[in-house]
Amino acid sequence: MTKYTLTLILYAISFSLTAQVPEGIVSELVILNVKTGSQKTVLKEVRHFEAPNWSRDGEYLLINSGGFLEKVDLDGNKLGQIQPDKISRANNDHGISFDGETLVISKSDEGTSSRIYTMPMDGGELKLITPKHPSYWHGISPDGKTLLYCAERDGLWDIYSIPTAGGEEIRLTDAEGLDDGPEYSYDGKWIYFNSNRTGRMHAYRMKPDGTGAEQLTDDSLDNWFPHPSPNNKSAVIISYLEDQKGPHPFGKDVKLRLLDVETKKIKDLTEVFYGGQGTINVHSWSPDGEWIAFVRYHKP
């Protein structure tokens, strides 16, 4: 597959997601205890929603649906949309700063593909951070000063950083293929990400300046979006059972797994279920490090 072909595939997936989702799809918002394996369904509805974040105070989950962001508490009570007069056309790459004060979203606008914005959690104006597009946010540094994202520039998909206040972007990867899903560890020592630079999608980590890349998975599954735990000892990954040849589509057989980032041992957290794009794209650990949130889908 050429870089140009990969770019076209990823572009099509990003902007034609609705076409992938069957009419009448059931979305199930689930929280899972990583120690006991117990699960609780928070919300289950006949509609399409995606990509939960856990609030930094642990009180609610943030999901996106139809381009808007919604709050849902842990009992499934809907707490409303976040400033729908200002936030629309948002995709599933969104999250909250470590101090809980800043919302970061990726959204498209008329005539552009995805760009990254910030907004105070207590309300305020959206601020455009990445004029260049497409740019898909995935991580913020513990001190809140730097954003991480995946971006396509000149036909190449790589990982970039940029000051949260805005400024010049810095390219952190230049390997062959797609690099995606970058997130800082809680101690700020690593950036976790996924890449198919070896021909298959695997989890990696690198130093914050982009050096010292280390491959963390090496099996027959397609491993995406390593979300580092609050104790810096593990990461949750979503694994496709079959080789997806680059993209991360909706509606495939997947499972969630827990990766020990030092020993590289992996254990299953879930059985195989219907999911993929939208299941766990962004950071979704609870603040105490005991739970993760994800979306499981059911065919109509």
Side-chain angles (χ1 to χ4, degrees):
M1 180 182 297
T2 67
K3 295 175 183 177
Y4 178 72
T5 301
L6 177 60
T7 296
L8 290 179
I9 290 174
L10 291 170
Y11 187 90
I13 287 174
S14 298
F15 298 101
S16 303
L17 180 57
T18 302
Q20 295 185 38
V21 180
E23 185 176 353
I25 195 73
V26 175
S27 303
E28 181 183 7
L29 178 59
V30 182
I31 58 173
L32 181 152
N33 189 292
V34 296
K35 296 180 179 178
T36 67
S38 64
Q39 298 185 23
K40 174 187 175 181
T41 295
V42 174
L43 183 68
K44 188 175 183 180
E45 294 185 328
V46 182
R47 65 172 178 131
H48 180 235
F49 55 73
E50 305 176 289
N53 305 125
W54 213 297
S55 67
R56 296 297 184 175
D57 61 9
E59 297 297 318
Y60 65 88
L61 299 168
L62 185 67
I63 58 175
N64 64 289
S65 181
F68 297 96
L69 298 183
E70 306 174 16
K71 291 181 178 181
V72 181
D73 74 15
L74 301 185
D75 293 318
N77 299 306
K78 298 178 183 179
L79 307 180
Q81 296 176 331
I82 295 181
Q83 300 206 30
D85 57 326
K86 297 177 182 177
I87 298 177
S88 62
R89 300 173 67 105
N91 57 49
N92 52 31
D93 296 328
H94 48 74
I96 304 169
S97 62
F98 281 74
D99 63 10
E101 295 185 0
T102 303
L103 174 67
V104 190
I105 67 170
S106 302
K107 66 185 293 289
S108 59
D109 297 293
E110 195 69 35
T112 74
S113 56
S114 179
R115 299 189 294 182
I116 299 170
Y117 292 80
T118 61
M119 171 186 278
M121 283 298 296
D122 59 2
E125 297 301 318
L126 279 174
K127 180 180 179 181
L128 176 63
I129 305 300
T130 58
K132 295 181 180 179
H133 59 94
S135 300
Y136 296 92
W137 176 85
H138 278 275
I140 187 169
S141 59
D143 64 9
K145 294 181 179 180
T146 307
L147 302 180
L148 295 173
Y149 54 102
C150 169
E152 183 269 324
R153 304 289 184 258
D154 300 320
L156 303 176
W157 289 86
D158 284 295
I159 292 169
Y160 290 79
S161 68
I162 196 169
T164 305
E168 294 297 319
E169 64 180 17
I170 299 173
R171 184 179 180 183
L172 298 178
T173 63
D174 59 4
E176 183 79 14
L178 168 68
D179 297 326
D180 199 355
E183 287 185 32
Y184 282 100
S185 59
Y186 274 66
D187 59 12
K189 294 181 179 180
W190 296 98
I191 293 172
Y192 287 81
F193 66 103
N194 56 276
S195 174
N196 66 350
R197 59 186 62 187
T198 64
R200 194 67 186 264
M201 195 62 73
H202 286 298
Y204 288 77
R205 66 180 180 180
M206 62 184 174
K207 296 178 181 178
D209 63 0
T211 63
E214 174 188 0
Q215 185 173 336
L216 300 174
T217 60
D218 187 18
D219 55 22
S220 61
L221 304 185
D222 261 19
N223 299 303
W224 280 82
F225 301 135
H227 304 302
S229 62
N231 66 7
N232 300 301
K233 295 181 179 180
S234 61
V236 170
I237 57 176
I238 180 171
S239 299
Y240 287 82
L241 270 59
E242 297 182 351
D243 186 352
Q244 300 302 314
K245 309 296 184 184
H248 53 103
F250 172 87
K252 300 292 182 178
D253 287 336
V254 298
K255 58 183 176 179
L256 300 184
R257 302 195 290 168
L258 188 67
L259 165 69
D260 185 308
V261 299
E262 298 302 331
T263 67
K264 301 181 183 178
K265 292 182 179 179
I266 306 176
K267 71 173 185 179
D268 289 355
L269 290 175
T270 68
E271 297 180 345
V272 176
F273 62 92
Y274 184 69
Q277 170 77 282
T279 289
I280 191 168
N281 291 60
V282 281
H283 187 273
S284 62
W285 283 89
S286 62
D288 61 12
E290 294 188 6
W291 298 81
I292 58 167
F294 70 98
V295 178
R296 178 165 49 215
Y297 298 99
H298 305 270
K299 298 177 182 179

